[in-house]
Amino acid sequence: MTLKNYETVFILTPVLSEAQTKDTVEKFVKVLEKNNAEIINVESWGLKKLAYPIQHKSTGSYHFVEFKATPDTIAAFETEFRRDETVMRFLTTVLDKHALAFSEKRRAGMFNKKKEETK
């Protein structure tokens, strides 16, 4: 079965400590690795305000994982999100060739450089 490129953004509850948040992210990365996924990039975007309250909380800790995997891996990965009460929301998307090109540029920091140049 061929590997496809995916990215997942998930929001953890803001009541977790920094260590608990880091452990939770590592747990989800290990789920991917256990299912033979290739991790490309993991980012923590930090605590951000939500557009609307979720579970009576107005903020959440945002995390991003980019990886290559089979569709079977996605099912196992999302099952882990549904079982974990610290996950407020998650979204996994398949990356097409345009999204892959964008993602590579984003990882290379091309978009951050433009911000620095305009300042």
Side-chain angles (χ1 to χ4, degrees):
M1 191 174 279
T2 61
L3 298 177
K4 290 185 177 181
N5 290 290
Y6 295 93
E7 67 180 26
T8 298
V9 174
F10 56 99
I11 306 170
L12 298 177
T13 182
V15 298
L16 296 176
S17 69
E18 192 171 317
Q20 290 172 319
T21 301
K22 186 177 177 182
D23 290 344
T24 304
V25 172
E26 287 178 9
K27 179 184 88 173
F28 291 122
V29 170
K30 285 180 183 175
V31 167
L32 287 171
E33 291 173 342
K34 182 180 170 186
N35 288 289
N36 301 320
E38 179 185 331
I39 306 297
I40 297 171
N41 187 23
V42 179
E43 295 177 13
S44 291
W45 293 344
L47 196 65
K48 295 191 177 285
K49 185 176 180 182
L50 302 172
Y52 54 88
I54 300 172
Q55 300 170 356
H56 305 288
K57 295 175 180 68
S58 60
T59 59
S61 177
Y62 281 68
H63 303 277
F64 172 83
V65 181
E66 186 178 351
F67 55 96
K68 291 182 180 180
T70 62
D72 294 340
T73 301
I74 302 305
F77 189 48
E78 291 190 345
T79 299
E80 288 297 319
F81 280 128
R82 288 185 183 93
R83 288 182 179 162
D84 195 324
E85 293 179 355
T86 62
V87 177
M88 298 167 64
R89 291 285 190 273
F90 66 90
L91 178 66
T92 301
T93 57
V94 180
L95 301 178
D96 63 7
K97 65 180 182 181
H98 303 292
L100 276 175
F102 176 83
S103 182
E104 288 174 10
K105 288 179 182 176
R106 190 178 61 78
R107 280 195 312 268
M110 294 181 75
F111 302 116
N112 291 337
K113 288 180 182 175
K114 287 184 179 179
K115 285 182 182 177
E116 292 173 2
E117 291 172 1
T118 57
K119 287 183 181 179

